[in-house]
Amino acid sequence: MVMSQKDPKIAEENIAVREKASIIAREFDRTVNTFKRVLEFKEKYGKNLEEKFEDLKISLKENLEELEEVNQNIEVFDTNSEKIIIHLKQLEEDEKKYTDQYEKLLRGVGVEERNLEAENSDNSHSPSSNESDEYERELSKILMKRREEFLENLKSNFDKLDEKLASIGTLKKELDESRTEISQRKLQALDKKKEMEEKGKKLVKEVGRLESELETTIREEKTLIAEFSRIVSHVENSLELDETTDSVLFSALSIAESPENTPAD
């Protein structure tokens, strides 16, 4: 019996399919590595965006709390300024009242006038010469005493008015200084409020940008996972061999790897 020769076409197909398989294997390996690297990057990138997003939300919350505190301070400054204005107005009214009293005292208005001679007119008979001298001496004493009392009383009134006016002046100065300080602090608070509002706008804008970027990368990651899963499933299904092919393949592999078919070193 004569053995038939091996068809040359089979040898060509053998070589061709092996070369094609090697090319496809390399391409599949490159594709798998690319997908793995990109998906690993997407995973890390997504986590990084989420961390930044959480940090931004914390910063935005802190900024809003600080802005609320600044607004409360501004309201306090306004309230205190209004109280100072009312107090100053009252002090100015008191100052005018005491100044008017001061001017009246200077003009002699309000000074009690008494007719000393009328107080001593109960002596209806004409005094004698001795009685007249005694009367003049008594009258002189009375006048001196009255003058001392008058001057003491006048001085006391002036001292009281001086004290009140000085006190009002001191209070006005202190209130003016407080109002100036409050005004400066309010200006600083307004500057800080503007700064906080600008910062808040930037934070809100950045939050929106990160949200959009996170949505995009998640959408892209889902697309890549779905496509990679499809490719892997397709290859997995392609690797399922029927029983005949599986039997021939592994039987031949056993023979090919037997010692007699293994080249010696």
Side-chain angles (χ1 to χ4, degrees):
M1 180 177 180
V2 181
M3 293 180 63
S4 60
Q5 293 182 343
K6 187 177 179 181
D7 189 348
K9 186 177 180 182
I10 294 178
E12 294 176 358
E13 290 177 351
N14 186 322
I15 295 171
V17 74
R18 279 187 287 136
E19 291 179 348
K20 184 175 182 181
S22 296
I23 293 172
I24 292 174
R26 288 195 297 273
E27 180 65 21
F28 179 71
D29 187 56
R30 185 189 68 81
T31 301
V32 168
N33 287 333
T34 301
F35 266 98
K36 286 173 65 178
R37 289 173 60 189
V38 172
L39 286 174
E40 183 179 355
F41 165 75
K42 284 291 184 182
E43 181 183 13
K44 292 180 179 179
Y45 186 66
K47 288 182 179 179
N48 182 259
L49 286 178
E50 288 177 346
E51 290 175 359
K52 287 183 177 180
F53 184 70
E54 290 301 318
D55 290 341
L56 275 176
K57 288 200 299 184
I58 293 173
S59 297
L60 186 59
K61 181 176 179 293
E62 291 176 348
N63 184 76
L64 289 173
E65 290 175 351
E66 191 171 357
L67 182 59
E68 183 179 356
E69 182 179 352
V70 170
N71 284 329
Q72 289 176 351
N73 289 338
I74 291 174
E75 289 181 2
V76 172
F77 294 149
D78 288 338
T79 300
N80 290 340
S81 292
E82 291 175 0
K83 289 181 179 178
I84 288 176
I85 291 172
I86 294 173
H87 197 176
L88 281 172
K89 185 177 180 182
Q90 182 62 49
L91 287 175
E92 288 174 355
E93 292 177 356
D94 291 342
E95 186 177 39
K96 185 178 184 307
K97 179 180 69 175
Y98 295 135
T99 301
D100 290 342
Q101 291 179 10
Y102 207 100
E103 290 177 352
K104 287 180 180 180
L105 284 178
L106 289 173
R107 294 196 305 268
V109 179
V111 178
E112 183 180 0
E113 297 180 356
R114 296 174 62 181
N115 191 333
L116 297 179
E117 293 187 0
E119 293 179 358
N120 296 278
S121 61
D122 53 342
N123 189 0
S124 57
H125 66 279
S126 299
S128 63
S129 176
N130 291 334
E131 290 177 342
S132 178
D133 291 340
E134 182 66 22
Y135 172 78
E136 292 295 335
R137 285 194 297 273
E138 290 297 324
L139 181 60
S140 177
K141 290 179 182 180
I142 293 172
L143 288 174
M144 290 178 65
K145 183 179 179 181
R146 294 284 297 169
R147 184 186 67 178
E148 290 175 359
E149 291 176 352
F150 173 79
L151 291 176
E152 287 178 2
N153 184 55
L154 187 63
K155 183 178 181 302
S156 176
N157 289 334
F158 275 123
D159 288 343
K160 289 179 181 178
L161 290 174
D162 285 337
E163 184 180 346
K164 291 178 180 178
L165 290 172
S167 176
I168 289 174
T170 300
L171 285 174
K172 285 177 65 178
K173 182 180 178 181
E174 292 175 352
L175 290 173
D176 282 332
E177 291 174 351
S178 296
R179 184 169 61 172
T180 300
E181 182 182 355
I182 290 173
S183 179
Q184 292 175 348
R185 293 179 65 184
K186 180 182 177 180
L187 288 175
Q188 293 174 353
L190 289 172
D191 289 339
K192 189 172 184 180
K193 177 181 178 180
K194 183 178 179 181
E195 180 183 339
M196 292 295 99
E197 288 176 342
E198 291 297 326
K199 182 180 179 180
K201 290 178 182 178
K202 291 180 180 179
L203 287 173
V204 170
K205 185 177 180 180
E206 184 65 11
V207 167
R209 186 189 69 79
L210 279 180
E211 282 182 334
S212 177
E213 191 172 351
L214 186 58
E215 288 175 0
T216 299
T217 193
I218 290 174
R219 185 170 59 252
E220 291 176 349
E221 186 176 2
K222 287 181 178 179
T223 300
L224 291 173
I225 291 173
E227 182 62 15
F228 193 35
S229 297
R230 185 190 67 78
I231 293 173
V232 171
S233 297
H234 184 70
V235 172
E236 183 181 23
N237 293 332
S238 298
L239 291 176
E240 293 181 359
L241 305 176
D242 57 59
E243 292 183 1
T244 302
T245 302
D246 186 71
S247 176
V248 172
L249 182 63
F250 286 99
S251 176
L253 180 62
S254 298
I255 296 172
E257 292 180 346
S258 63
E260 59 268 21
N261 290 319
T262 302
D265 294 336

